[in-house]
Amino acid sequence: MTRHFLPIVGLIVLALALAACGDVSVATPTPGGAEESEPAEESEPAEESEPAEESEPAESQAAEQPTNGRLAAVIERDQLICGVNGSLAGFSFLEEDGTNTGFDADFCRAVAAAVLGDPEKVEFRALNADARGPALQTGEVDVLIRNTTWTLTRDTTWGLFGPTIFYDGQAIMVNADLGAATIEDLAGATICVQSGTTTELNLTDRMRELAIEYTPNVFAEIDPTYAAYEEGACDAVTSDRSQLVSRRTAFEDPDAHVILDDVLSKEPLGPVVPLGDDEWFNVVKWVVFAVIEAEEQGITQANVEEMISSQNPVIARLLGAEGELGAMLGLENDWVVDVISAVGNYGEIYDRNLGPDTAFNLERGLNNLWTEGGLLYAMPYR
Amino acid sequence: MTSAPLAGRGTGVAPWRDIRVIRVAAQVVVVGLVGLLAAFLLRNLLTAMDQRGLGFGFGFLDSTAGFAISETPIPYSATDTYGLAFLVGLLNTLFVSAVGIVLATLLGLVVGVARLSRNFLVNRVAAGYVEIIRNTPLLVQLFFLYAFLLQLPGVADSVALPGGIFLNQRGLSLPAPVFSPTLGAWLAFVALGIGLAIASRFLLPRGIRSIGLLAILVVPAIGWIVLGEAPIGVDPPVLQRFNFTGGMTLSSGFTALLAGLVLYTAAFIGEVVRGGILAVRRGQVEAARALGLSEGHILRLVVFPQALRVIVPPLTSQYLNLAKNSSLAIAIGYPDLFSVSQTMGNQTGQPVSVIVMVMGTYLTISLVTSLLMNLYNRRVQVLER
Amino acid sequence: MTAEVLPPPKISVGPMAWLRENLFSSVLSSLLTLVVGGLLLLVLLLVADWALTEARWGVVTSNLRLFLIGQYPGDQAWRVWLSLAIISALSGLSAGIYGAATRTLGASLAAGQILIAVLALASNLGWVAIAGLLVNAALVGVAFFASVRFRISRRLLVVMWLASLPVSFLLLSGLGTEAVPKVSTSLWGGLLLTFLLAIVGIVLSFPFGVLLALGRRSTLPAVRILSTVYIEVIRGVPLITILFMADIMLPLFLPGEVRLDRVLRAMGGITLFSAAYVAENVRGGLQAIPSGQGEAANALGLSTAQTNIFIILPQALRAVIPANVGLFISLLKDTTLVVIIGLLELLGIGRAVLAQTEWFGAQLEVYVFVAAVFFVMSYAMSQASYRLETAMGVGSR
C-alpha cells in the first residue's frame, strides 16, 4: 500500500476531478462553460485541472437548427451573454438583489426572448468602457448593448452596429456654483472623462476647435469618474446627456449641478455584435426593428396576444400569423410575440426605464417614431 | 543519472540505452512538444484575430492620437501621434519609478535602522509600520491614499503654505523655476566655483584647505549679481477661476501613487536593510569597539560595507518591484505607460499589438535596472583572495 | 579600615529601570521617545475619534453579504458555509496531526469565522449564516480533539485535503439539480472569489513552478533555455500586464467556440505569474542541496527521476517553505489586481458598494475594512510561517 501511495492518491484525485466534469455534463450546459486553459508555454506533464469545464451541451430548442455560428452557439448554450454597463441607472443597473434593470438591459432580454423564448436566459456582463471593445473582439459577449456610440473605427474593428436604439448627444455637467453657462466659460477647468469613450475624443476635438485650455482627468471606470466630480476633484464632467441625467439623479444634491446646453457631438447608441457573423447580425438587427415596428403598429405588451389574429396583414406578418419570415432569420415564426410579451414595444421599454414616471423623465425627442417627428424608422418586415 | 553505461568504441551499447542518444532525443522531444503547442496556439491566435478583425502591426504609431493626457513631462497635445503618447506614458512611468526608488531607499534606510534601535518606542513603531504595510495589498493602500487626498479642501479653499505653496484636493502647486537666457553664463560661474574648490584642495596648505570650499558659494553669488538678470526666476502659481495656473502642480494622482509606492517599498527595504545589518558578524563590531572607533565610524566603515553585500541583491528585486508596481497608476488615474496604453489599445482597436509593446517595454526596464544593480553588486561583493 | 559609604546600586530592575533603559537611555533616545511618542498619541487619538464618531461603518454591515460572497444567490449561500465546514473540519484535523504552524492556521480560521459571525449580527446576513459560521468555528475545535483522540493517518488526511478541492468547487458551482442548482462563476464575488483565486493560484502554480525550477537546472540545454526564458520574461513584467494578456489573448489562443470564463482567465494569468516566482524560490532551495546528496544517490543506482523525487526535492522544498509562504501571502494580496480587469473580488465589491448613493463618501471606511481583512489573513499566515520556521529549525545557526 505504502509503495503505491502516490499513484493511488493521484488516481483518486483524478477520479474526483473527472467526476466533477462528468457530473456537470449531465446537467444543463454551463453558461460560462469553459475548459481549463493550457498555460501558453510549458508542455510538461498535465497538472490537475480545476473542474470548471466545457459540458456536453444539451439541445434545447425545437426550432430549425441553424447551421453554424453564434446563433447556433447561443441556442446550444441556452443563454445569451449580453455586455452591459451595470452602473448606469436607467440603462443597465445592477440592483442589490442581483437583477439588471434598464433600457439596454431590456433590449438584451428582447434578444434572449427572440432567440431562446425566455427573456430571463441572459447573463449580463458588466464591462467598463475600455473592456467593451476587446470583449467584442474576442467574442466574449454575444451582443454588446452598453450605450455604445456608432463610429467608423468601431464598426470596422469592434463589431457591427445594429440600428440605433437611442439618439443622444454629448453634453457637459458643471457645478451650478461655478456660474458657467457655456462651454467657453470652462477655460482652465479640470474636466472628468472616462477613457476609451468617444466623449474623451470629442472633448479634445471641441476644445481644440475653440482653442480653450483645459485639464482632462481620465478614469477607467464610470463610478470613480462621477465620484471625483462630486468630490470636487473636477469642475465639470462630460458624457452622453442621457448618462449625465441618469448619474445626476444619484447625486446627494442633484439640483446643485447643471447640464450645459452645448451639444458637443452626435452620439447614436446601439447594439453591437462581433464581426464576421451575418446571420447573428440579422437576428439582432431585426429584433430592434420589430420592437420599433410594434410601437408603430400599436402592438403593446397587453394586446399582443389578441393582435395575433389581427386582420391587418402587416401585423399578421410581424407576429408570425402569416408567412415564414421568422424561419428565414433562423428563429421561431412567432418570435416577435415572444419579444413583445416579454418587454413590450419600444415606447413601453422607453417609458418603463426613462419615461415621465421615472426619476429621469427624458423627453423622447429624436427617440420617437418617424411618424411623430423622431428618427426611429423600422425597415419593412416582409 | 541513469545506469546506462557510456558507449565507447567497441563497447557496443544499444542506442536506446546510450546516454548521449537519450539526452539528444529528450531535448528533441521537449522542443518538439513545445513547438507543437506553440504552433497550435499561434494558429488559433491568427485565425481568431483574422475573424474578429484584430490587426497586428505597429502602423498605428504614426497616426494621430486624438486623446489628451493630463500630465505630460514633454509637450504633447491631441494632434500628436500615438507613438508620442506612448513615449509620454513611458516618461511618466520612469519619472515616478526613479523618484520612488530614491525616496523609498532613504525611507527604507531610516526604517531599517529604526527597527534596530534600542529605543523601545522607535523600534515598535517601525515594526508596526512594517507589519501593516506588508500585510495589506498595495492597491488598497493606493486607493486609500487617493481617497484620503481627496478629502483635502477644494481648489477655492486651498491651504496656503509658506513659500507660495498651495495644497488642495487636486494636488500640490509649487512655484516653478523659470530659466532666463543668462542661465548659461551663470552655470559657467558655478562650474568655476567648483573648479576653484577642487583646485584649492590640492594647492592650498593643509590648514586653510577647507576655506576653498567657500568658493562654491561665493563665486556663483558674485556671478548672480554681476549678470544683472536673474538666471533662475520663480513662477508662482496663481489661482484662476478653476485652477492654479503657472508654477508646477503635482497632481493628487501622482502624489498618491508616489506616496503609496514609497511607503510600500520602504517597508520591504527596511526589512532588507535590517537583515543586512544583522548579518554582519558581531565579532566585527566588537573588534571595532575594542579598537576605539566611535559608533558613527563603526556604522560607516565596518558595518555598512559588509551589510551592503547582503543588502544589494534583495534591494535590486525591491527596485524592480517598485518599477513594476507603478503600473497600478491606472487605478488612480495617473497616466503612466500602462494607463496610456490601455486608451491606445482601445482607440486603435489593436489591443494585442499594444499589450506586446507594453510588456516588451517593461521587460526592457527590468532588464536594464537589474543589469545596473548587478554591476553595483559586483563591486560590493567580497573579493575572494 | 574605614568603610566607604558607597552610593546605593543603580536600579536595574522594575518599571523605572525598564523605562530608563529602553526609552530614555541617552539624550537622543529621550528626544526620540518624546517626539515619536507624541506623534503616535496624536495619530491614535485622531484615528480613534474618526473611527468612533465620524466613520459610517454601516457601509460594511449593510453590505456584508456582498463583501463575503458577492452576487452569489442569497438562498444558496448555505453551500458556501458547507464548503467552509469541510475546510474547517480538515483544518482541525491537520492542527491535531501536524501541530505548530497548522495549529495557528486552524485557530485563525476559527477566530475569523467567529469575528465574521459577530459582524453578521449587525447585518442582514441571516441567522443561517451566523449559525453556519459558529458551527464551523466549533467544528475546528471538535476536529482537533477528534484527531488527538483517534489516530488518523497522515496519508488519509492528505487524500482528504486533495479531495476537498474538487468537492468544494462542485458544491459551490452546483450540479444542476433542484436542490443544488448551478451558480455561474461570474456570480462569485467578494471574499469567496479572493479565496478561490488565491487557492487555485497556489495549488496550480506550485507543481508548475517546481517543474520550471528543475527545468532551469537541467543539463539539457533546450529545456534549460526554455525554462529560463519563461521565468525571466514573466518576472520582468508587472502582474497587471499578464492579467490583461490573459483576459484578452487567452480566448484567442483557444480554438473556435471554446469559451473561457473571466474568472478562469484571471486564474490562468495568476498561475502563470506565480509559477515563475515559485520556480525561483525552489531553485534557491535546489542550489542549497549539497552535491554529495546527488552523488550518493547516483552511487546507490537511483535514476534521475527517483533522485529528484525522493532525495533532492523533499529537502529543497522543506528549505524554501518560509520563502514560499511569503510568496503565497503576496499572491493573496495580488488577487486584488483583478479589480482592474473587472472582476469583483473583495476590493472590487468594496468599490461597487461605494457606487451606491447612500454610501457616497464612505471610501475610507470601506478601504480600511478591506485592508483589515487582508491584514488579518496575511498576519495569520506569516505567524504560521514563523512558527514553522522555528519548528523546522530553519534559519537558526
Side-chain angles (χ1 to χ4, degrees), chain A residues 130 195-196 200 218, chain B residues 67 82 338-348:
Chain A
D130 279 324
S195 73
E200 189 186 4
V218 183
Chain B
F67 61 91
Y82 280 116
F338 188 67
S339 167
V340 168
S341 75
Q342 282 305 102
T343 314
M344 274 173 63
N346 210 279
Q347 305 286 13
T348 57

Side-chain angles (χ1 to χ4, degrees), chain A residues 311-378:
Chain A
Q311 292 306 313
N312 185 335
V314 174
I315 297 181
R317 250 194 320 272
L318 184 65
L319 298 181
E322 281 178 23
E324 293 291 319
L325 295 167
M328 291 177 75
L329 283 173
L331 305 171
E332 301 267 351
N333 239 2
D334 59 350
W335 64 274
V336 182
V337 177
D338 288 335
V339 171
I340 305 298
S341 28
V343 295
N345 62 32
Y346 184 94
E348 290 179 298
I349 299 176
Y350 192 98
D351 288 334
R352 184 187 318 134
N353 293 298
L354 305 166
D357 294 331
T358 67
F360 314 104
N361 197 2
L362 283 175
E363 281 204 15
R364 290 289 291 263
L366 291 173
N367 296 311
N368 218 330
L369 298 171
W370 63 287
T371 46
E372 308 282 334
L375 293 176
L376 294 176
Y377 192 104

Side-chain angles (χ1 to χ4, degrees), chain A residues 47-335:
Chain A
E47 306 90 62
E48 261 169 52
S49 51
E50 270 303 305
E53 47 299 286
E54 173 102 86
S55 49
E56 287 313 306
E59 301 281 85
S60 59
Q61 279 297 342
E64 232 183 64
Q65 285 302 317
T67 44
N68 245 325
R70 194 160 287 271
L71 179 60
V74 172
I75 293 179
E76 252 184 47
R77 198 193 307 134
D78 200 32
Q79 195 171 54
L80 177 76
I81 300 182
C82 200
V84 293
N85 192 314
S87 309
L88 190 58
F91 285 87
S92 59
F93 188 73
L94 193 57
E95 303 283 351
E96 269 182 28
D97 56 1
T99 55
N100 229 297
T101 56
F103 185 76
D104 289 338
D106 279 347
F107 270 95
C108 287
R109 294 197 176 90
V111 176
V115 177
L116 303 169
D118 181 356
E120 296 310 317
K121 287 186 178 170
V122 184
E123 183 189 323
F124 292 98
R125 291 277 173 91
L127 298 168
N128 69 16
D130 279 324
R132 54 187 166 165
L136 272 171
Q137 289 168 322
T138 57
E140 179 195 328
V141 294
D142 296 319
V143 60
L144 176 78
I145 310 185
R146 191 217 176 271
N147 54 293
T148 305
T149 309
W150 190 343
T151 68
L152 187 151
T153 318
R154 293 174 179 181
D155 227 354
T156 49
T157 54
W158 285 10
L160 299 170
F161 276 78
T164 305
I165 55 178
F166 196 92
Y167 292 90
D168 206 351
Q170 182 175 347
I172 301 185
M173 175 159 64
V174 294
N175 206 312
D177 297 333
L178 291 172
T182 68
I183 192 174
E184 281 91 352
D185 295 333
L186 292 176
T190 304
I191 306 184
C192 279
V193 67
Q194 291 162 67
S195 73
T197 55
T198 48
T199 44
E200 189 186 4
L201 301 174
N202 291 333
L203 180 69
T204 318
D205 286 347
R206 197 50 188 275
M207 293 309 219
R208 188 162 38 122
E209 191 191 321
L210 296 171
I212 299 177
E213 287 281 321
Y214 77 106
T215 311
N217 204 345
V218 183
F219 294 89
E221 306 274 335
I222 184 172
D223 290 324
T225 314
Y226 290 93
Y229 167 70
E230 216 183 331
E231 296 258 11
C234 303
D235 302 300
V237 61
T238 180
S239 182
D240 303 337
R241 188 176 298 265
S242 59
Q243 184 177 119
L244 293 176
V245 170
S246 162
R247 295 297 305 209
R248 184 173 59 172
T249 58
F251 283 173
E252 262 184 283
D253 187 8
D255 298 318
H257 304 275
V258 60
I259 300 180
L260 301 180
D261 290 330
D262 299 83
V263 176
L264 279 81
S265 69
K266 295 184 283 197
E267 301 288 330
L269 311 176
V272 198
V273 296
L275 291 170
D277 196 332
D278 293 338
E279 183 190 40
W280 180 241
F281 181 44
N282 278 334
V283 167
V284 172
K285 194 193 320 180
W286 282 95
V287 168
V288 176
F289 286 146
V291 157
I292 297 175
E293 183 75 17
E295 189 186 0
E296 199 178 320
Q297 297 300 328
I299 309 173
T300 67
Q301 207 169 13
N303 67 15
V304 63
E305 288 295 329
E306 42 181 88
M307 284 292 214
I308 296 179
S309 43
S310 161
Q311 292 306 313
N312 185 335
V314 174
I315 297 181
R317 250 194 320 272
L318 184 65
L319 298 181
E322 281 178 23
E324 293 291 319
L325 295 167
M328 291 177 75
L329 283 173
L331 305 171
E332 301 267 351
N333 239 2
D334 59 350
W335 64 274

